[in-house]
Amino acid sequence: MRVLMFGWEFPPHIAGGLGTACKGIVEGLAHNGVETLFVMPSASGDEDESCTKIINASDVAVAHVSETVDEFLDKVKFIHVDSSLVPYVDPDEYFEAIEKMKAEHTLETTIGFGQKFKFSGKYGANLMEEVSRYAQVGGTIAMQHKDEFDVIHAHDWLTYLAGIAAKELTGKPLVVHVHATSYDRGSEDMIDTRVLAIEKRGMQAADKVVAVSELTRNIVINKYGIDPSKVVAVHNAVDFSGRENLSVERGVKDKVVTFLGRITFQKGPEYFIDAAAKVLKRTKNVRFVMAGSGDMMNRAIRQVAKLGIADRFHFTGFLRGTDVQKMFALSDVYIMPSVSEPFGISPLEAMRSNVPSIISYQSGAAEILKYAFKVDFWDVDAMADDIYALLQYPALSEFAAKQGLDEVNALKWDHATAKLKDIYEQLIK
Amino acid sequence: MAKSICLYFQVHQPTRLRLYRFFDIGKDSHYYDDFQNRTILKRIAQKCYLPMNELLLKAIKAYKGEFKVAFSISGSALEQFERYAPEVLDSFKALADTGCVEFLCETYYHSLAAVASGSEFQFQVQKHKEAIEHYFGQTPVSFRNTELIYSDAIGRQVYELGFKTMLTEGARHIMGWRSPNYVYNNDLVEGQKLLLRNYSLSDDIAFRFGDRNWAGWPLTAEKFKSWVSAAEGDYVGLFMDYETFGEHTDKASGIFDFMAALPGEILKDGKIRFLTPKEVAAEFKSVGDLSVPNAISWADEERDLTAWLGNDLQNEAFNKLYSLREKLSLLDNPVLWADYGHLSESDHLYYMCTKFFTDGDMHKYFNPYASPYEAFINYMNVLSDFIIRVNDAIAVK
């Protein structure tokens, strides 16, 4: 079994979780005896190729392809976007991407047929153009490697057009993998319709749609109108091998309850703040930390000030690199009150750091984590109860930490990718 | 016509906080950005304090006691002078030695203690009074509260601390038809005289001097004298930040030349005199009560406290700080007291102001933070560490 896989990034140079997940998937597939050709817009050459062969789209010249595909590509080719309207993969990843963009200038270039296109592989202002270029080059790559794969697999909307082009040209089955949808990125009236159109098109053209959770599967079915029989949920895993937990000396004696993520509507920051205020009414020996930044941050700060808990509720701003690990190491309880979360890898990281987690039912992770505490995102009373219990009853928090650690250690990409292998096999039968 | 000019300059430098992160709480209790504070102070010393002090000293000597000014120098600024630029302190001492300079009293930390805590206010006023005696060998008798904040009740507090003269803003909404160019008295305490800032003539120098679009530009000593002569009343209160000269308004605008020319021009025909606040209070009778039930200040268009206590962030920080006062009073740890004082500097609250649109430029100019939210987060992180230290100290006791 061989798969032509279209991704957008691959470790070590990643802006967010998509690259990490792709690496886990190709490794897991390799363990299951599936070979992958991994195409990405801009490879640096230092990617780990032990489990996959990387094809750098920036090295491939665009060849003339069949008329129908040309026509299709013409339609998507020159959609320019305003820098303020930049679409993005996932809200968490957007901020970091923008931060990186500021540091590195990406060149705007145009190409004709027979030329190579230097992709930035970032999430910049010319993202839409890169996406359509990627489709052109993707088609060429599929033709060049026509005899080397059986199935096409495309990750998230950025690569869907490339996947469709490859399918049109080679006639091989297409799997699209939904890591996040437009509905998880913004409230419904703020959705970028161009992204939505590409998502819908990819899902419709696909022979199978893989969603990272049942929650996302339902969105694919209900919001995008995709035939339920075509949509399968395959939960993410996480690879913690080779990572040591940091030990950090604590400055504060109090217990620390942490929210870590983008401070946006989807993440439910205001519910966390309300719950914090409730807990602080009953006990004083606790501090709350909101780590991250986002468009709701200022509102969150005002809410904290208004509730009069600012001496116990701290903001760290955006955390980079080891500061994230440090924050987990300083935490006693982790909370993810997301209103809508396709999967949500952060509670897994918290549990891996021995921190008991409270997560909302409205997250994909809630479907698989038995030892996380689960509440509805709006149920601040339940949230406060759980926080209070985890702080006050050491037996409970120790149990949750230990079981949680075992639980996340047992999540393996090998299991998740075995399901992908089944899907591929059904498609080429 | 006005018979005299009362010049008073405010000197203050905040003790700016360093970037203090959540991770520092409980671990590191040094709160100040020493590098930034030193850099800024040294720059302003070169651009403003030293050249301006020299200019004033020359004028005082040239006019043999006819030219007089008043200063109020916050304790926070005095501390920074002593640490980073002792030559500035020496030049102020030289001015004090002429006998033509009156030093006013204020809260040592340029704080809002007057509206927060009677005991903290008293403490800071006393501390400042002692500092002025220590550095300049004179006991202050006139009082100016932080940012000229005043109300009937604050005035009474000040009176009870022994100050019969107080300076404040001649805010339009409390003056109504009345002129600021007379001495008034506190509505509650008849014995307390109020000297008012003539905001129009003060701001001609402090804000409009360098503005080429202003109808009055260019401002010369002759022109300014004609405006003062045309004003009715007993005196003109020209109260302004000392940093106006060379810092807020660049030297290239000619503001130093203007100030060098002003004393000679004013004094030349003997019709207008320079008086310090205590002399104004001694010379002129009150023309009536001034009722100020709600606090006023010299800041922004509103001339009220909203630059410091105008939103939830500021109120929260303010309340949390002053709610500590009672606990702190159980301790005699000088390091904690000093940190508490510096945290009470009104500037920290000013940085959290969200009035972006009308007076935003002014606020931005004075603000080391990119947003009021950052200012709040940083301040609260520092305050959280401070609260831990206070609680620990009490536990030990």
Side-chain angles (χ1 to χ4, degrees), chain A residues 97-115:
Chain A
I98 292 299
E99 289 289 294
K100 283 194 170 183
M101 281 289 300
K102 284 179 191 160
E104 310 159 27
H105 269 292
T106 48
L107 286 173
E108 188 129 12
T109 47
T110 47
I111 56 159
F113 288 114
Q115 284 178 284

Side-chain angles (χ1 to χ4, degrees), chain A residues 198-322:
Chain A
I198 294 175
E199 286 178 328
K200 203 161 182 172
R201 187 169 188 160
M203 292 176 197
Q204 281 166 345
D207 299 278
K208 218 51 164 190
V209 178
V210 175
V212 292
S213 62
E214 291 294 340
L215 194 94
T216 303
R217 180 173 179 266
N218 285 335
I219 292 173
V220 169
I221 293 165
N222 296 324
K223 302 272 189 190
Y224 293 85
I226 305 299
D227 175 7
S229 65
K230 211 169 90 171
V231 193
V232 197
V234 175
H235 289 100
N236 276 349
V238 63
D239 179 16
F240 288 121
S241 58
R243 203 174 86 192
E244 298 278 318
N245 278 341
L246 282 178
S247 65
V248 178
E249 192 207 331
R250 284 200 176 206
V252 291
K253 292 186 198 110
D254 310 295
K255 302 274 188 186
V256 174
V257 182
T258 303
F259 167 109
L260 195 151
R262 293 274 299 141
I263 306 175
T264 56
F265 168 78
Q266 283 69 30
K267 301 286 180 183
E270 71 265 45
Y271 305 104
F272 175 48
I273 297 169
D274 282 341
K278 282 178 186 279
V279 173
L280 282 169
K281 271 189 195 143
R282 275 199 275 174
T283 174
K284 285 288 169 217
N285 302 322
V286 54
R287 285 171 194 277
F288 297 85
V289 176
M290 188 168 276
S293 59
D295 60 12
M296 291 261 291
M297 183 167 178
N298 292 348
R299 201 170 125 181
I301 295 168
R302 287 200 300 272
Q303 191 185 349
V304 165
K306 201 161 195 167
L307 287 165
I309 55 173
D311 56 332
R312 293 264 151 198
F313 197 111
H314 309 282
F315 292 86
T316 67
F318 186 73
L319 295 184
R320 284 178 178 74
T322 54

Side-chain angles (χ1 to χ4, degrees), chain B residues 218-246:
Chain B
L219 184 59
T220 60
E222 295 80 34
K223 196 188 283 182
F224 193 75
K225 184 188 182 184
S226 71
W227 292 348
V228 171
S229 306
E232 61 155 334
D234 294 329
Y235 69 100
V236 172
L238 301 178
F239 306 168
M240 62 197 79
D241 281 337
Y242 200 36
E243 294 80 11
T244 296
F245 306 98

Side-chain angles (χ1 to χ4, degrees), chain A residues 52-335:
Chain A
T52 184
K53 188 181 163 214
I54 304 260
I55 297 173
N56 185 358
S58 295
D59 291 344
V60 179
V62 177
H64 258 299
V65 284
S66 79
E67 285 305 309
T68 51
V69 176
D70 274 358
E71 207 176 292
F72 153 69
L73 292 173
D74 272 344
K75 277 185 202 147
V76 294
K77 203 155 54 186
F78 291 110
I79 322 168
H80 279 277
V81 278
D82 219 285
S83 58
S84 62
L85 288 172
V86 178
Y88 48 90
V89 188
D90 176 277
D92 286 340
E93 298 165 12
Y94 180 60
F95 185 80
E96 193 158 345
I98 292 299
E99 289 289 294
K100 283 194 170 183
M101 281 289 300
K102 284 179 191 160
E104 310 159 27
H105 269 292
T106 48
L107 286 173
E108 188 129 12
T109 47
T110 47
I111 56 159
F113 288 114
Q115 284 178 284
K116 291 174 187 172
F117 179 66
K118 180 77 191 79
F119 289 96
S120 73
K122 303 280 178 349
Y123 306 100
N126 51 354
L127 184 62
M128 275 295 184
E129 191 191 340
E130 294 216 350
V131 165
S132 56
R133 298 274 182 218
Y134 191 47
Q136 285 183 295
V137 182
T140 306
I141 291 168
M143 288 304 285
Q144 286 169 352
H145 297 268
K146 201 163 82 179
D147 303 324
E148 296 166 42
F149 64 90
D150 309 299
V151 180
I152 306 153
H153 188 151
H155 291 282
D156 257 3
W157 70 272
L158 295 155
T159 74
Y160 288 174
L161 295 179
I164 297 170
K167 180 181 170 174
E168 298 259 340
L169 288 167
T170 64
K172 302 200 175 173
L174 170 67
V175 175
V176 301
H177 203 133
V178 185
H179 295 263
T181 69
S182 287
Y183 295 94
D184 307 306
R185 287 176 205 120
S187 56
E188 250 171 80
D189 51 337
M190 291 195 25
I191 285 174
D192 188 320
T193 51
R194 293 162 303 184
V195 176
L196 191 73
I198 294 175
E199 286 178 328
K200 203 161 182 172
R201 187 169 188 160
M203 292 176 197
Q204 281 166 345
D207 299 278
K208 218 51 164 190
V209 178
V210 175
V212 292
S213 62
E214 291 294 340
L215 194 94
T216 303
R217 180 173 179 266
N218 285 335
I219 292 173
V220 169
I221 293 165
N222 296 324
K223 302 272 189 190
Y224 293 85
I226 305 299
D227 175 7
S229 65
K230 211 169 90 171
V231 193
V232 197
V234 175
H235 289 100
N236 276 349
V238 63
D239 179 16
F240 288 121
S241 58
R243 203 174 86 192
E244 298 278 318
N245 278 341
L246 282 178
S247 65
V248 178
E249 192 207 331
R250 284 200 176 206
V252 291
K253 292 186 198 110
D254 310 295
K255 302 274 188 186
V256 174
V257 182
T258 303
F259 167 109
L260 195 151
R262 293 274 299 141
I263 306 175
T264 56
F265 168 78
Q266 283 69 30
K267 301 286 180 183
E270 71 265 45
Y271 305 104
F272 175 48
I273 297 169
D274 282 341
K278 282 178 186 279
V279 173
L280 282 169
K281 271 189 195 143
R282 275 199 275 174
T283 174
K284 285 288 169 217
N285 302 322
V286 54
R287 285 171 194 277
F288 297 85
V289 176
M290 188 168 276
S293 59
D295 60 12
M296 291 261 291
M297 183 167 178
N298 292 348
R299 201 170 125 181
I301 295 168
R302 287 200 300 272
Q303 191 185 349
V304 165
K306 201 161 195 167
L307 287 165
I309 55 173
D311 56 332
R312 293 264 151 198
F313 197 111
H314 309 282
F315 292 86
T316 67
F318 186 73
L319 295 184
R320 284 178 178 74
T322 54
D323 276 350
V324 175
Q325 303 307 319
K326 208 166 148 186
M327 196 63 244
F328 282 126
L330 288 171
S331 304
D332 295 283
V333 176
Y334 181 76
I335 188 155

Side-chain angles (χ1 to χ4, degrees), chain B residues 135-176:
Chain B
Y135 286 115
F136 307 117
Q138 56 173 267
T139 301
V141 296
S142 309
F143 191 86
R144 72 71 76 175
N145 196 19
T146 307
E147 310 287 348
L148 296 191
I149 290 168
Y150 175 82
S151 69
D152 298 336
I154 292 169
R156 181 164 58 189
Q157 247 179 303
V158 169
Y159 185 79
E160 281 161 5
L161 294 174
F163 296 95
K164 293 188 172 124
T165 305
M166 189 164 171
L167 282 63
T168 186
E169 172 73 15
R172 204 181 324 214
H173 70 273
I174 57 151
M175 298 309 294

Side-chain angles (χ1 to χ4, degrees), chain A residues 249-253 287 289 297-298 301-302 305-306 308-311 314-316 319 323 327 330, chain B residues 21-23 25-27 312-314 316 320 371 373-374 376-377 380-381 383-385 387-388 391-392:
Chain A
E249 192 207 331
R250 284 200 176 206
V252 291
K253 292 186 198 110
R287 285 171 194 277
V289 176
M297 183 167 178
N298 292 348
I301 295 168
R302 287 200 300 272
K306 201 161 195 167
I309 55 173
D311 56 332
H314 309 282
F315 292 86
T316 67
L319 295 184
D323 276 350
M327 196 63 244
L330 288 171
Chain B
R21 308 192 63 198
F22 167 74
F23 299 107
I25 298 174
K27 281 189 182 167
D312 291 337
L313 309 184
Q314 296 170 317
E316 164 77 348
K320 284 278 143 69
S371 81
Y373 297 100
E374 278 179 29
F376 176 75
I377 291 171
M380 290 311 299
N381 283 346
L383 189 61
S384 298
D385 182 80
I387 293 171
I388 292 175
N391 288 335
D392 286 353

